[in-house]
Amino acid sequence: MKAVIPAAGMGTRFLPMTKNSPKEMLPIIDKPAIQYVVEEAARSGIEDMVIVTGRGKEIIENHFDIAYELEHVLGSRNDREKLAEIRHIAEIADIFYVRQKIPLGLGHAIYMARKHVGDEPFAVLLGDDIIVSEEPCVKQLMRVHQRYGASVIAVQEVAREDVSKYGIVAFEEVDDHLFRIKDVVEKPDADEAPSRLAVMGRYIFSPEIFDCIARTKPGKNNEIQLADALNLLLEKEEVYGYAFTGTRYDLGDKFDWLRINIEMALQRDEFREKMRELLKKLQQ
Ligand code: G1P
């Protein structure tokens, strides 16, 4: 299965940092956000990925390329550990790039990858959503896809005050963690939301979604919304929602970025004690 990773958004919620650098390159301690996303796809068994970029996002391509000069310097210092770490980044997967030339929305960004994907089911991982879990989130969705042969989207319950930040689904419960999707509403007001079950940035789509996107008219914010295309897909095929296991961080959000850095530091041996001490001290 191939993966499409939309990374063309402008990151307006993270200004001024994102004025001239992509939000997907924000560091989580020492690794850019998009590397976690690419690694999640790779850990799910995906070897062929398309990153949908846009103007000003060239450093994403450079990050996944071989850095010849850097490797030369590390090699001459005999720093094998760093050399292996740097080389690994260029070998995670075969990554292809396509540009979304005009920012016309998430649906439109995914459509840019249609020729590379072809007529097969494919995964979508949003480049600014990080999901930390033992079994990669996409792998969890793949299991559902294999069982039902249908499109699957990752969902998670959110607080009432947060529903206006997400695509929210109307559903029928099928099994533990599993829902049949009936409708998707993009970023509704809390009073109009069909539920509190929100679409998170991971999907497995049947290739039919491309035709649906092509038929989707500009919707909210005058963009080609993936949620609207999903509703067209629902007229033809079943779509499932899977409440995955894992913690999800929205890297477009400043507080989530602070939170993931602290939580990740607490998981790393080199920082755990120091971070605990700092947090204790700050509480006093
Ligand atoms: C996008 C989708 C939305 C989804 C969200 C998850 O919105 O349009 O349906 O719930 O990702 O992160 P964005 O956050 O790009 O505005």
Side-chain angles (χ1 to χ4, degrees):
M1 188 180 277
K2 294 175 186 168
V4 176
I5 304 178
M10 304 213 319
T12 49
R13 284 179 298 151
F14 220 118
L15 285 166
M17 183 60 219
T18 45
K19 184 179 174 200
N20 205 29
S21 24
K23 62 179 164 180
E24 294 80 10
M25 290 301 289
L26 280 165
I28 294 156
I29 304 186
D30 49 8
K31 212 195 257 190
I34 196 159
Q35 192 180 328
Y36 286 87
V37 177
V38 165
E39 284 174 346
E40 179 192 326
R43 287 202 295 136
S44 304
I46 297 174
E47 293 170 359
D48 180 321
M49 309 180 192
V50 191
I51 301 184
V52 184
T53 66
R55 205 178 296 281
K57 304 261 186 177
E58 301 79 9
I59 67 167
I60 296 178
E61 285 186 48
N62 293 341
H63 183 71
F64 292 104
D65 196 0
I66 287 178
Y68 178 77
E69 300 89 336
L70 181 61
E71 287 196 7
H72 180 74
V73 170
L74 293 174
S76 65
R77 289 185 195 158
N78 220 3
D79 192 340
R80 293 217 181 111
E81 204 181 313
K82 280 216 183 82
L83 193 57
E85 194 183 350
I86 294 303
R87 173 49 73 97
H88 150 79
I89 304 170
E91 292 172 345
I92 304 173
D94 286 337
I95 306 181
F96 299 82
Y97 298 89
V98 61
R99 277 198 187 203
Q100 183 189 28
K101 293 173 190 153
I102 315 173
L104 287 181
L106 180 58
H108 179 259
I110 293 170
Y111 193 70
M112 297 297 105
R114 71 194 182 285
K115 288 190 180 153
H116 186 85
V117 170
D119 198 23
E120 294 161 23
F122 64 103
V124 172
L125 297 89
L126 300 192
D128 56 353
D129 271 10
I130 299 217
I131 296 177
V132 178
S133 55
E134 203 163 301
E135 184 185 25
C137 182
V138 163
K139 188 86 185 285
Q140 297 178 42
L141 300 188
M142 281 171 152
R143 277 198 282 111
V144 179
H145 173 75
Q146 262 158 14
R147 183 153 165 214
Y148 293 89
S151 299
V152 193
I153 57 190
V155 293
Q156 204 164 54
E157 200 168 290
V158 296
R160 190 182 141 84
E161 62 266 30
D162 288 331
V163 297
S164 62
K165 297 181 192 164
Y166 298 99
I168 301 291
V169 299
F171 61 87
E172 217 174 63
E173 197 160 351
V174 180
D175 207 341
D176 215 17
H177 289 240
L178 191 67
F179 310 89
R180 195 172 291 120
I181 305 295
K182 296 276 158 203
D183 188 23
V184 190
V185 188
E186 183 65 12
K187 305 195 175 93
D189 290 339
D191 293 336
E192 282 156 25
S195 74
R196 288 202 286 120
L197 210 54
V199 179
M200 297 303 173
R202 301 291 183 268
Y203 315 74
I204 308 271
F205 283 123
S206 98
E208 275 297 314
I209 192 73
F210 290 124
D211 277 349
C212 298
I213 298 173
R215 288 193 289 121
T216 300
K217 305 253 161 6
K220 199 152 195 151
N221 301 331
N222 220 14
E223 292 179 343
I224 309 287
Q225 294 291 348
L226 180 61
D228 295 339
L230 253 164
N231 283 325
L232 292 179
L233 186 66
L234 279 167
E235 290 173 8
K236 294 189 181 173
E237 296 180 359
E238 288 200 325
V239 177
Y240 288 87
Y242 184 69
F244 62 96
T245 308
T247 311
R248 177 248 179 203
Y249 303 88
D250 172 8
L251 262 287
D253 179 81
K254 292 177 186 174
F255 186 75
D256 257 18
W257 177 78
L258 290 168
R259 187 164 73 98
I260 191 172
N261 273 284
I262 293 171
E263 292 184 4
M264 289 285 200
L266 288 168
Q267 283 171 28
R268 292 238 312 234
D269 292 345
E270 50 189 316
F271 300 123
R272 187 176 303 116
E273 278 315 309
K274 280 190 198 161
M275 183 55 86
R276 274 199 194 137
E277 269 169 38
L278 175 66
L279 293 174
K280 234 188 261 163
K281 206 162 121 197
L282 293 175
Q283 265 188 339
Q284 284 162 7

